[in-house]
């Protein structure tokens, strides 16, 4: 079925894969949630034949538990977490260069944005630690070389901002434009990211997922990410907010509700009339929090609010029109229609109350301050009185700041001031927030109200409390309070004076500063009597419409100023000189970056033939990736420490394993190097084994490399659930480098099993046996010969144990034809590298 269509804007024709053509003929697809329509479009666009096309439609019609593909249009990577993949590509360039191939074809297969956050302040590093300066310089030097040599790679150099913020405010385009057959094709932008806040982009209507470094490598080299057909949970937001409730309270309550909704990896999609209360910044907080409530992502479909934000931050009216036209043509623009969700959860805004947290117990929200005990009175203070209020702009959206300052403006207009006993501070953390608020003429109201303006991070000290107040507190043992918009340690040396400390919304910081005591009834209590008229909360509480009106006045040209030189970088980056060479000039003395070993299996594996393999290690149950590759600091006298000492690195310059992520020599020495793991072949804890030739206890990596040089196969044997825990790139890659070709276990963590295949390591499982039943000691030899490798097949193995041979059965954990084919190619990464190599020759 041909579903290609087109439309014209400003005399330019754009083509797209028309979902409405499809849904007109397949009514069951018409009510698909928008996230599923985006996935449907990408899968159909990538279909290569009619059979595949129809299979995709069938999967989405029936929403079966099939595997579908996620095709990213772009990857967003932070800092140096993906350094090994670029090192691999640089090594591949060398191979192509030696063989006389085309270096220009060795590139990432999709667009990558690598955002280098300021983890180190380079101008200070050199004066503090030479080792840290070398770390920054060597990594930046390599990345800058990569930016000049690889297409499809954009580097956002240091000094540009935080990864997810740069992506939201500048990089994301919402639509991806691709030139194909001399036509411009449009499709939704889809993003993968390794940063913990990768899901933030869903607030902009861009479908994005967080992935681990191994999955990102596969995507960089051209493979889609395979996912189970997702369930979609619809969140219906309706009703009206109560007095004293802000959108920040709404965000907090919504996240808490989702945490208690037994979400298990579903995609969450929001709809309902209550969305009008959520700014795009509010939506971003909810989207960032998706992992906290176990959702794969929290998605907000694109609406007029999204388009306005996009046009203002990018300053492109015509492109905004293009986005809206495409989305409306596709049925992807938000219309508040109830779609065919797997489940709907209703969220009534009237159930939301001001979020007030006790600083001593942050898990206890909704503290009922009306029940605050009032027992003691002093000369001019009593229990529950507020003596300190701190309003911080950091971590606050512009929407919340404007609401707070409009509250201050209304109070000032009526002649209400901050309570005389309160030390009130307003702390502005960035120049752009200061400029925004000054352009709206709002800062003066918070100052007129009685707040002192501060322009840096602020720490309260007890010396700032008035002496009369101190005396009243101490003499009468009063339980006085502080109110803050942020959980920071601002009560240095003053906990003995201020006993009750609360974290509230920014607007409630302002409000409580007016009333002076935490025991206040928002519905009924009077703030102050002005001209014989009682002033209540409703009289000064800004409406959502008032806040939106001010947001419309924001000068978004400031974003142009911020991002105009985004690719330029700071002075450190600009002064970093690199050789303009087609291949990288490796520094053999570097302890941070070294050329890796990539293509590990040149020949296609047609059968399994392992003869007289040695056992490298025997491990018990539940060996985690953290035990396989510990992330602790480099300890003295460890194999890694000896390597660094040989390179002239002293103990105070070791840094940690994460900082040396680009050096495989470091990572292989770190294998099993923790007292939390023990090789059952020896009595010593950590990453050691026995060399039965010399009868010495040696590091595992050392014995493995020796056997590898002698072409002796190496096998690791373990108990149940081998490889559980967080995915770690080097917890598999390092094993492959030292020559481990097979791991036999009672069972594997499923993700670890798949990643073993990605790197060309064969996972085999005991059928009826285990380490204990066979009474393995580690000095046995193992032979495994199988003429045909098949999915889930049973393989015979012979264990040569002293004077006898023991035959056992092992289950091949290549679970489908795809995994079998990739293993035969030496692993998925090996297969992709070879494809790039071959296309370059």
């Amino acid at each position: 079925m041909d579903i290609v269509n087109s439309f014209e804007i400003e005399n330019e024709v754009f083509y797209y894969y028309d979902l409405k053509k499809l849904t007109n003929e397949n009514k069951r697809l018409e009510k698909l949630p928008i996230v599923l329509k985006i996935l449907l479009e990408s899968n159909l666009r990538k279909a290569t034949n009619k059979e595949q096309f129809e299979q995709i439609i069938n999967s989405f019609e029936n929403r079966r538990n099939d595997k579908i593909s996620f095709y990213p249009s772009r990857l967003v990577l932070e800092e140096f977490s993906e350094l090994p993949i670029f090192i691999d590509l640089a090594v591949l360039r060398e191979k192509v260069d030696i063989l006389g191939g085309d270096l220009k074809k060795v590139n990432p297969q999709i667009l990558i944005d690598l955002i280098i956050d300021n983890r180190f302040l380079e101008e200070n590093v050199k004066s503090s630690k030479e080792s840290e300066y070398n770390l920054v310089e060597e990594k930046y030097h390599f990345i800058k070389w990569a930016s000049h040599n690889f297409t499809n790679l954009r580097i956002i150099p240091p000094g540009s901002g935080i990864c997810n913020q740069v992506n939201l405010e500048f990089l994301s385009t919402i639509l991806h434009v691709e030139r194909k057959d001399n036509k411009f094709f449009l499709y939704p932008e889809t993003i993968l990211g390794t940063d913990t806040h990768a899901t933030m982009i869903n607030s902009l209507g861009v479908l994005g997922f967080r992935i681990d470094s191994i999955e990102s490598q596969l995507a960089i080299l051209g493979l889609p990410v395979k996912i189970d057909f997702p369930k979609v949970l619809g969140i219906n937001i309706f009703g009206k907010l109560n007095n004293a409730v802000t959108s920040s309270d709404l965000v907090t309550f919504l996240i808490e509700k989702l945490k208690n909704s037994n979400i298990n990896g579903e995609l969450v999609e929001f709809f309902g009339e209550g969305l009008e209360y959520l700014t795009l910044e509010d939506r971003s907080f909810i989207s960032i929090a998706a992992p906290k409530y176990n959702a794969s992502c929290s998605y907000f479909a694109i609406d007029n609010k999204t388009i306005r934000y996009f046009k203002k931050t990018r300053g492109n009216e015509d492109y905004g029109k293009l986005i809206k036209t495409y989305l409306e043509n596709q049925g992807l623009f938000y219309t508040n229609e109830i779609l065919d969700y797997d489940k709907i959860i209703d969220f009534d805004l009237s159930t939301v109350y001001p979020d007030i947290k006790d600083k001593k117990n942050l898990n206890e929200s909704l503290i009922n301050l009306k029940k605050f005990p009032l027992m003691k009175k002093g000369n001019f203070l009593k229990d529950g009185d507020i003596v300190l209020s701190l309003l911080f702009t950091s971590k606050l959206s512009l929407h919340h700041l404007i609401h707070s300052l409009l509250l201050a403006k209304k109070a000032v207009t009526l002649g209400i001031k901050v309570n005389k006993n309160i030390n009130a501070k307003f702390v502005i953390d960035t120049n752009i927030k200061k400029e925004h608020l000054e352009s709206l003429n709002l800062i003066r109201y918070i100052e007129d109200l009685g707040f002192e303006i501060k322009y840096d991070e602020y720490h309260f000290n007890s010396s700032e409390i008035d002496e009369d107040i101190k005396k009243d507190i101490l003499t009468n043992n009063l339980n006085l309070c502080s109110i803050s918009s942020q959980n920071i340690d601002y009560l240095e040396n003053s906990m003995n004076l201020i006993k009750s400390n609360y974290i509230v919304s920014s607007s409630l910081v302002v409000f409580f500063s007016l009333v002076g005591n935490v025991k206040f009834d928002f519905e009924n209590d009077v703030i102050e009597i002005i001209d014989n008229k009682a002033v209540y909360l409703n009289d000064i509480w800004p409406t959502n419409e008032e806040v939106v009106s001010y947001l419309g006045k924001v000068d978004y040209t400031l974003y142009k100023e911020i991002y105009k030189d985004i690719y330029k970088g700071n002075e450190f980056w600009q002064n970093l000189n690199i050789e303009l060479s087609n291949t990288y000039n490796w520094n053999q003395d570097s302890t941070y970056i070294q050329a890796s070993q990539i293509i590990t299996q040149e020949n296609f594996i047609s059968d399994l033939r392992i003869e007289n393999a040695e056992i490298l290690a025997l491990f018990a149950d539940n060996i985690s990736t953290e035990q396989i590759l510990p992330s602790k600091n480099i300890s003295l006298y460890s194999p890694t420490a000896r390597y660094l000492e040989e390179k002239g690195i002293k103990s105070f310059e070791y840094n940690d394993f994460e900082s040396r992520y680009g050096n495989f020599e470091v990572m292989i020495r770190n294998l099993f190097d923790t007292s939390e793991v023990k090789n059952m072949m020896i009595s010593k804890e950590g990453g050691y084994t026995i060399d039965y030739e010399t009868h010495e206890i040696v590091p595992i990596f050392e014995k493995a490399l020796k056997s590898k040089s002698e072409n002796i196969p190496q096998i690791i044997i373990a108990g149940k659930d081998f490889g559980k825990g967080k995915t770690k790139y080097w917890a598999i890659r390092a094993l492959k480098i030292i020559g481990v070709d097979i791991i036999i276990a009672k069972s594997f963590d499923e993700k670890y099993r798949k990643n073993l295949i990605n790197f060309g390591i064969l996972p085999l499982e005991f059928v009826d046996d285990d380490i204990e039943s066979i009474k393995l000691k580690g000095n046995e030899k193992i032979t495994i010969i199988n003429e045909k490798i098949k999915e889930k097949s049973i393989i015979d193995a012979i264990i040569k144990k002293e004077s006898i041979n023991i035959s056992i059965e092992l289950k091949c954990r290549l679970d489908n034809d795809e995994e079998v084919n990739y293993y035969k190619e030496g692993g998925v990464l090996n297969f992709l590298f070879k494809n790039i190599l071959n296309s370059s020759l």
Side-chain angles (χ1 to χ4, degrees), residues 243-244 402-417 449 507-508 510-515 520 522 525-528 530 534-544 546-547:
N243 292 338
I402 289 174
H403 191 279
S404 308
L405 299 189
L406 284 179
L407 176 62
K409 180 181 178 181
K410 289 193 173 194
V412 168
T413 303
L414 289 173
I416 304 173
K417 296 273 189 177
L449 199 65
S507 295
L508 282 185
V510 176
F511 179 76
F512 276 119
S513 299
L514 306 178
V515 300
F520 190 88
F522 294 124
D525 285 357
V526 175
I527 300 171
E528 199 164 319
I530 305 291
V535 178
Y536 294 91
L537 172 68
N538 276 347
D539 296 323
I540 63 172
W541 197 256
T543 65
N544 190 56
E546 289 173 312
V547 176

Side-chain angles (χ1 to χ4, degrees), residues 489-597:
D489 188 15
Y490 57 81
L491 295 176
E492 295 176 0
N493 305 318
S494 60
M495 289 302 290
N496 59 329
L497 294 173
I498 304 176
K499 295 181 180 179
S500 298
N501 304 283
Y502 298 105
I503 302 166
V504 300
S505 70
S506 57
S507 295
L508 282 185
V509 170
V510 176
F511 179 76
F512 276 119
S513 299
L514 306 178
V515 300
N517 191 283
V518 296
K519 193 176 177 70
F520 190 88
D521 185 333
F522 294 124
E523 298 291 334
N524 303 308
D525 285 357
V526 175
I527 300 171
E528 199 164 319
I529 304 293
I530 305 291
D531 296 330
N532 296 319
K533 184 179 179 181
V535 178
Y536 294 91
L537 172 68
N538 276 347
D539 296 323
I540 63 172
W541 197 256
T543 65
N544 190 56
E545 291 74 21
E546 289 173 312
V547 176
V548 169
S549 175
Y550 265 82
L551 280 170
K553 301 174 185 177
V554 171
D555 181 11
Y556 281 94
T557 58
L558 292 171
Y559 285 100
K560 288 186 179 179
E561 187 67 25
I562 292 171
Y563 291 117
K564 69 177 182 180
D565 295 322
I566 190 170
Y567 296 109
K568 186 177 179 181
N570 58 16
E571 185 177 353
F572 181 90
W573 178 266
Q574 294 172 41
N575 293 334
L576 200 58
N577 294 319
I578 61 166
E579 298 176 13
L580 296 179
S581 55
N582 290 326
T583 57
Y584 189 68
N585 184 21
W586 304 98
N587 177 5
Q588 300 303 318
D589 294 325
S590 172
T591 56
Y592 291 108
I593 292 178
Q594 285 297 333
S596 58
Q597 303 173 16

Side-chain angles (χ1 to χ4, degrees), residues 31-156:
K31 295 285 189 178
L32 277 180
I34 291 176
V35 284
L36 292 186
K37 286 182 178 178
I38 292 171
L39 290 171
L40 173 61
E41 188 276 345
S42 64
N43 276 264
L44 291 176
R45 177 166 31 91
K46 294 290 186 177
T48 56
N49 54 58
K50 182 180 178 181
E51 181 183 356
Q52 194 178 58
F53 189 93
E54 290 176 350
Q55 183 181 352
I56 290 167
I57 291 175
N58 187 263
S59 292
F60 278 82
E61 278 184 331
N62 297 296
R63 292 162 80 161
R64 298 192 307 259
N65 192 26
D66 293 340
K67 288 285 185 184
I68 60 171
S69 297
F70 182 83
Y71 294 94
S73 57
R74 186 163 60 93
L75 262 70
V76 180
L77 310 177
E78 183 185 32
E79 275 289 340
F80 304 113
S81 60
E82 307 311 303
L83 199 60
I85 186 61
F86 298 112
I87 292 174
D88 288 346
L89 286 171
V91 172
L92 194 61
R93 278 202 159 214
E94 290 182 0
K95 284 181 174 285
V96 172
D97 189 45
I98 292 170
L99 296 171
D102 185 358
L103 298 183
K104 294 180 181 179
K105 291 186 177 180
V106 182
N107 285 295
Q109 301 301 295
I110 64 170
L111 180 62
I112 301 171
D113 286 312
L114 176 61
I115 303 174
I116 305 177
D117 199 357
N118 269 349
R119 185 172 299 183
F120 300 99
L121 296 176
E122 293 84 1
E123 62 272 20
N124 296 328
V125 165
K126 193 166 186 177
S127 62
S128 59
K129 268 192 179 182
E130 189 69 25
S131 60
E132 289 187 356
Y133 180 81
N134 290 339
L135 160 64
V136 172
E137 185 175 43
E138 287 184 30
K139 289 187 175 181
Y140 283 8
H141 183 274
F142 175 77
I143 289 296
K144 193 168 185 178
W145 172 86
S147 71
H148 284 272
N149 282 275
F150 295 128
T151 58
N152 277 341
L153 173 62
R154 295 189 299 193
I155 304 294
I156 314 299

Side-chain angles (χ1 to χ4, degrees), residues 83 99 105 123 133 138 173 195 207 212 214 291 303 316 344 373 384 445 480 493 506 699 705 738 742 749 780 813:
L83 199 60
L99 296 171
K105 291 186 177 180
E123 62 272 20
Y133 180 81
E138 287 184 30
T173 57
D195 174 49
L207 185 56
D212 59 49
I214 296 176
D303 57 10
N316 192 329
I344 291 177
Y445 294 108
L480 299 188
N493 305 318
S506 57
L705 290 179
I738 65 173
I742 292 177
D749 174 84
E780 297 85 356
R813 285 304 313 275

Side-chain angles (χ1 to χ4, degrees), residues 308-326:
R308 283 196 300 271
Y309 172 86
F310 188 88
K311 288 193 292 189
K312 286 181 176 180
T313 52
R314 275 63 168 183
N316 192 329
E317 290 287 332
D318 290 338
Y319 191 68
K321 183 179 178 182
L322 174 66
I323 292 171
K324 190 169 184 180
T325 301
Y326 170 81

